[in-house]
């Protein structure tokens, strides 16, 4: 299979992964009403249930991806998260839905680290920035499709009513989980490892196979840089995931949008602004790098970390819905900027045999700090601190503003390291 076809399959998998993980954010109203959940419990389902095993299992799965053929790992992951998403539609209480969301996270743990290392093997370095950016588009296409399709299904079923005894939100889970099964089969049958790649079980080596302690030792030698990198971009993940997870509640509660309108607004913003931001980010990195700026990824990531919260806070101050949506769209555009540089730096500055494990470490930090920690903090503040009708807006604003300060400081501090090539192959 040609490289372009492989990239298309991987991008499709990434799209479906975000459809399956993001659909819950749109369904916050009917799920809370049907299962009797608080905002904090919903945050657990939307954040911790998914992120816990997604992040923890990402490390051993990435180690396997550095040592074994990656297509079977990828196909198994796609199949597992698809079945688990369908299982969400059969859940009748908090713990059943929590267990299914956990399995979604387990399946998705197999995707990104293996894909990142695979792309770095088949794409020339000069094009890697834009390729990773194009792959990252899948997250926003998937989130947008989840919002659009979910909103239409709920509208067709008159929000929370049922179809043949099945609640509308359950049908949404079943519908978005099904397409992953044929995709898993396509990856298993159609994708092959690049020629000459080293993996442990063959006995054929183009180079030494890394020991189990190679990644921790490399991390320890360059701990200052990687601490700043992982923490900085995890805080940008708080900004992005908080917007994606809690803006639907903000539109529905504070702005009184219908489920269909929420799905339409969020879907278009995610697809147009999210994809536009990621693509612009990747092109900017390549452009700045071609002009000799070794710290190009940090410059682009820092731009997003600073600009996105400013436009969000401006949006939250607007009483007119049109102005609010327009400023929110710009905030999404810049919130997507840090995605390509966070991944690109790892691929460029980590030895080839350790790329998947370091990508998994980045995803662990993003999931536990960005997705789980940020979402739970907003849910807690909304339940216990800002308990008025506009509490979601206050909680979202404070959490995003705090994350922006930390992320900007950390990313700015990585710039001297990026100008020094030593950590890349040390």
């Amino acid at each position: 299979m040609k490289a372009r076809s492989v990239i298309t399959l991987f991008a499709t998998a990434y799209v479906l992964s975000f459809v399956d993980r993001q659909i819950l954010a749109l369904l916050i109203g009917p799920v809370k009403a049907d299962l009797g959940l608080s905002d904090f419990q919903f945050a657990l389902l939307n954040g911790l249930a998914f992120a816990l095993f997604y992040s923890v299992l990402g490390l051993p799965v990435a180690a396997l991806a550095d040592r074994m053929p990656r297509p079977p790992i990828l196909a198994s992951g796609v199949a597992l998260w698809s079945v688990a998403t369908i299982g969400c539609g059969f859940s009748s209480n908090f713990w059943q839905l929590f267990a299914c969301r956990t399995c979604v996270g387990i399946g998705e743990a197999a995707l990104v680290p293996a894909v990142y290392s695979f792309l770095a093997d088949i794409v020339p370095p000069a094009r890697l920035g834009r390729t990773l950016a194009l792959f990252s588009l899948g997250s926003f296409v998937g989130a947008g499709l989840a919002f659009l399709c979910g909103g239409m299904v709920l509208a067709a079923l008159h929000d929370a009513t049922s179809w043949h005894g099945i609640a509308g939100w359950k049908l949404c889970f079943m519908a978005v989980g099904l397409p992953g099964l044929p995709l898993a089969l396509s990856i298993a049958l159609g994708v092959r490892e690049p020629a000459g790649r080293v993996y442990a079980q063959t006995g054929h080596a183009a180079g030494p196979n890394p020991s189990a302690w190679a990644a921790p030792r490399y991390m320890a030698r360059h701990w200052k840089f990687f601490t700043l990198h992982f923490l900085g971009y995890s805080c940008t993940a708080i900004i992005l995931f908080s917007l994606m997870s809690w803006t639907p509640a903000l539109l529905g509660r504070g702005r009184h949008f219908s489920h269909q309108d929420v799905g339409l607004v969020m879907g278009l913003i995610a697809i147009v602004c999210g994809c536009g931001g990621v693509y612009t980010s990747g092109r900017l990195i390549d452009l700045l790098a071609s002009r000799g700026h070794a710290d190009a990824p940090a410059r682009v990531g820092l731009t997003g970390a600073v600009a996105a919260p400013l436009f969000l806070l401006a949006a939250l101050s607007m009483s007119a819905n049109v102005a609010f949506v327009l400023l929110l769209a710009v905030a999404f555009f810049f919130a997507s900027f840090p995605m390509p540089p966070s991944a690109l730096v790892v691929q460029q500055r980590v030895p080839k045999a350790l790329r998947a494990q370091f990508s998994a470490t980045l995803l662990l930090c993003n999931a536990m700090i960005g997705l789980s920690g940020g979402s739970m903090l907003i849910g807690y503040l909304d339940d216990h601190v800002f308990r008025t009708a506009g509490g979601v807006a206050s909680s979202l604003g404070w959490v995003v503003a705090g994350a922006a300060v930390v992320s900007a400081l950390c990313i700015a501090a990585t710039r001297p390291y990026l100008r020094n090539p030593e950590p890349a192959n040390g």
Side-chain angles (χ1 to χ4, degrees):
M1 184 177 289
K2 294 182 178 180
R4 182 171 298 179
S5 299
V6 172
I7 294 171
T8 300
L9 276 180
F10 290 165
T12 303
Y14 202 39
V15 168
L16 292 183
S17 75
F18 263 80
V19 170
D20 291 357
R21 84 169 69 168
Q22 197 61 37
I23 188 68
L24 183 60
L26 177 67
L27 304 177
I28 180 171
V31 171
K32 283 185 61 182
D34 204 4
L35 302 184
L37 306 179
S38 67
D39 272 347
F40 185 72
Q41 285 178 305
F42 182 82
L44 291 176
L45 291 172
N46 199 42
L48 183 64
F50 173 86
L52 184 60
F53 284 97
Y54 173 78
S55 56
V56 173
L57 288 182
L59 294 171
V61 170
L64 287 177
D66 282 333
R67 294 167 170 269
M68 298 177 64
R70 290 163 288 194
I73 296 173
L74 290 165
S76 299
V78 175
L80 175 58
W81 91 57
S82 300
V83 171
T85 300
I86 296 171
C88 290
F90 290 92
S91 302
S92 57
N93 58 54
F94 172 83
W95 289 111
Q96 289 177 5
L97 189 53
F98 190 96
C100 289
R101 289 285 292 176
T102 297
C103 290
V104 173
I106 293 172
E108 292 195 20
L111 180 65
V112 176
V115 168
Y116 280 172
S117 68
F118 201 107
L119 292 179
D121 285 344
I122 65 173
V123 175
R127 292 175 48 211
L128 186 58
R130 72 192 70 176
T131 300
L132 290 176
L134 288 172
F135 175 73
S136 298
L137 295 181
S139 63
F140 295 100
V141 173
L145 290 175
F147 289 129
L148 289 171
C149 297
M152 288 189 290
V153 170
L154 290 177
L157 294 171
H158 305 290
D159 294 339
T161 57
S162 63
W163 178 78
H164 292 283
I166 305 174
W169 66 267
K170 294 188 175 186
L171 285 174
C172 288
F173 278 117
M174 297 176 190
V176 301
L178 284 173
L181 299 179
L183 178 64
L185 184 62
S186 299
I187 293 174
L189 298 179
V191 179
R192 295 290 179 268
E193 283 288 341
R197 197 221 177 195
V198 182
Y199 33 86
Q201 78 276 19
T202 63
H204 302 294
N209 197 52
S211 71
W213 295 101
R217 284 199 297 264
Y218 190 82
M219 177 81 77
R221 287 206 304 272
H222 307 293
W223 68 270
K224 291 182 180 179
F225 169 75
F226 286 113
T227 298
L228 291 169
H229 182 78
F230 291 154
L231 179 58
Y233 284 103
S234 295
C235 288
T236 64
I238 289 178
I239 299 170
L240 177 60
F241 289 133
S242 295
L243 284 171
M244 296 182 74
S245 297
W246 288 100
T247 303
L250 184 62
L251 290 170
R253 296 179 195 175
R255 304 274 170 171
H256 308 293
F257 282 39
S258 67
H259 286 300
Q260 186 174 18
D261 289 340
V262 171
L264 179 63
V265 169
M266 291 298 299
L268 292 176
I269 287 177
I271 292 174
V272 176
C273 300
C275 291
V278 166
Y279 184 74
T280 302
S281 172
R283 294 304 298 264
L284 280 175
I285 292 171
D286 289 343
L287 177 63
L288 291 172
S290 69
R291 295 180 177 179
H293 298 289
D295 62 347
R299 293 188 180 205
V300 175
L302 188 59
T303 300
V306 172
L310 292 178
F311 282 99
L312 173 63
L313 294 175
L316 294 176
S317 69
M318 294 294 168
S319 57
N321 285 342
V322 173
F324 171 80
V325 170
L326 290 176
L327 289 169
L328 180 67
V330 180
F332 262 90
F333 176 80
F334 284 110
S336 67
F337 264 41
M339 290 187 69
S342 67
L344 178 63
V345 168
V346 171
Q347 303 308 310
Q348 289 180 334
R349 303 186 66 79
V350 172
K352 186 175 182 180
L354 305 178
R355 285 171 178 165
Q357 294 176 70
F358 272 78
S359 295
T361 303
L362 175 63
L363 291 176
L364 185 153
C365 296
N366 284 350
M368 296 307 296
I369 297 174
L371 176 58
S372 181
S375 184
M376 287 193 298
L377 182 56
I378 291 173
Y380 178 83
L381 291 175
D382 194 40
D383 282 338
H384 300 285
V385 180
F386 304 109
R387 303 174 69 176
T388 63
V392 174
S394 299
S395 302
L396 180 62
W398 277 104
V399 170
V400 166
V405 173
V406 177
S407 63
L409 292 173
C410 289
I411 295 173
T414 65
R415 294 179 65 187
Y417 294 94
L418 295 179
R419 297 189 189 107
N420 177 10
E422 188 273 332
N425 299 301

